[in-house]
Amino acid sequence: MTPDATHTEAAPQDGGDGSIKIIGRAVAVLRALAGEREGLSLSQLAERTGLPRSTIHRLVSALEVEGVLVAASATGRVRIGPELVRWAEAGRPEIRSLLRPAMEHLAQTLKETVDLAVLESGRLRITDSIEGRHTLRAVSVVGSSLPLHCTANGKAVLAKLSDAEVARLLPARLARLTPATITRRAALLEELREVRRTGVAFDLEESTPGVCAVAIAAQDAYGTLAALSVPVPAIRFHGREQDIVASLNAAREQVSTVPPVDTLPESGAHDAPPAS
């Protein structure tokens, strides 16, 4: 195949402008393919990037050899390959490390246990926890799974999703773990609408007798959904709700991946948890 006269791929010996242009063109191809799960043909790539089809052919062939692109169909369409995904995952910071400073500040301010739970494959898993300083305190087990429908962290995460996505994640039957557990889907969806409005979710002894909790959701740049929660023995919780909510909202400001302060509801919207 004859190289295009205006788009030479030959890199100069000193690694100068020619090499930079090749990298730029390769990046243009990858950007054009971003989000295209069914892939694109060479002609479509040429149209989107403004590069000659011969240039696209050479770039695609080289990227396929490296596993950065793979065939998406028998008709010549290509898409992003697993090697590029692996590189992206390798450079991805854990949400735990991003939220740890906010957790530590919360724990120091409230002297209560602070948990981080992450939504993974439809399950909520505790990935980090800082124990409270009180003799009587809530204790969470890192690595354990939590129900979504009756925990503050679960409701905070569910409120970030659409009702259709919530329906797909929830089990056919909402298990009753305590007398206060919500088991009616309509009631849960109504509460999630309130969580979306206020940005704060509550667990009023709905998952564990004698333990209440407040939580906010967070999301990293890769779409990972997580929740910061403060579980507190019920005997020490009532009357402190506003202090806990205020501390969580302050923590929200520390985390750049959650909505900025000017998009948050007025603090008066968080004066009290929903009626049990």
Side-chain angles (χ1 to χ4, degrees):
M1 187 173 293
T2 304
D4 183 82
T6 59
H7 295 281
T8 177
E9 260 61 73
Q13 294 300 313
D14 62 359
D17 291 346
S19 298
I20 294 172
K21 287 180 180 178
I22 294 171
I23 294 171
R25 291 166 187 163
V27 169
V29 169
L30 296 175
R31 283 178 176 157
L33 287 167
E36 297 290 345
R37 296 186 178 182
E38 303 300 320
L40 296 174
S41 67
L42 300 189
S43 296
Q44 288 173 316
L45 283 170
E47 181 180 352
R48 293 197 183 187
T49 62
L51 295 172
R53 195 177 187 281
S54 59
T55 301
I56 292 294
H57 184 274
R58 288 193 297 276
L59 288 170
V60 166
S61 296
L63 292 171
E64 282 184 314
V65 169
E66 300 298 333
V68 176
L69 298 182
V70 295
S73 72
T75 57
R77 298 170 74 91
V78 293
R79 59 177 174 81
I80 299 293
E83 190 67 10
L84 187 60
V85 175
R86 187 181 68 80
W87 293 346
E89 287 293 328
R92 173 179 178 172
E94 288 188 3
I95 197 167
R96 175 181 177 275
S97 63
L98 296 174
L99 298 185
R100 183 72 185 192
M103 291 180 64
E104 291 173 347
H105 183 72
L106 273 171
Q108 183 177 9
T109 301
L110 295 171
K111 309 297 189 293
E112 301 288 356
T113 297
V114 179
D115 293 335
L116 171 64
V118 175
L119 185 63
E120 296 177 342
S121 303
R123 303 179 66 185
L124 194 65
R125 184 171 64 86
I126 295 179
T127 57
D128 198 4
S129 180
I130 300 175
E131 280 197 19
R133 301 183 185 179
H134 297 279
T135 302
L136 178 63
R137 61 184 181 272
V139 178
S140 304
V141 179
V142 173
S144 62
S145 294
L146 302 172
L148 290 166
H149 70 288
C150 60
T151 58
N153 7 40
K155 286 186 277 188
V157 166
L158 288 177
K160 285 291 186 180
L161 306 175
S162 67
D163 285 355
E165 290 171 315
V166 170
R168 284 195 295 270
L169 282 178
L170 292 177
R173 177 178 174 274
L174 301 182
R176 183 180 295 280
L177 301 186
T178 77
T181 302
I182 294 176
T183 58
R184 291 175 48 248
R185 284 174 177 264
L188 177 61
L189 290 175
E190 182 178 352
E191 182 169 339
L192 293 181
R193 284 190 284 274
E194 179 67 8
V195 176
R196 292 181 187 117
R197 185 183 73 83
T198 64
V200 179
F202 291 89
D203 169 0
L204 303 177
E205 299 187 68
E206 298 164 51
S207 60
T208 304
V211 177
C212 298
V214 190
I216 60 171
Q219 190 168 18
D220 68 12
Y222 298 88
T224 301
L225 269 175
L228 282 177
S229 63
V230 180
V232 182
I235 194 172
R236 201 167 54 245
F237 177 80
H238 300 290
R240 296 186 64 206
E241 298 95 323
Q242 290 191 42
D243 289 341
I244 298 170
V245 167
S247 294
L248 278 167
N249 280 331
R252 192 198 305 266
E253 297 179 22
Q254 289 183 260
V255 184
S256 60
T257 48
V258 297
V261 180
D262 59 4
T263 68
L264 295 177
E266 295 295 325
S267 59
H270 307 310
D271 285 347
S276 56

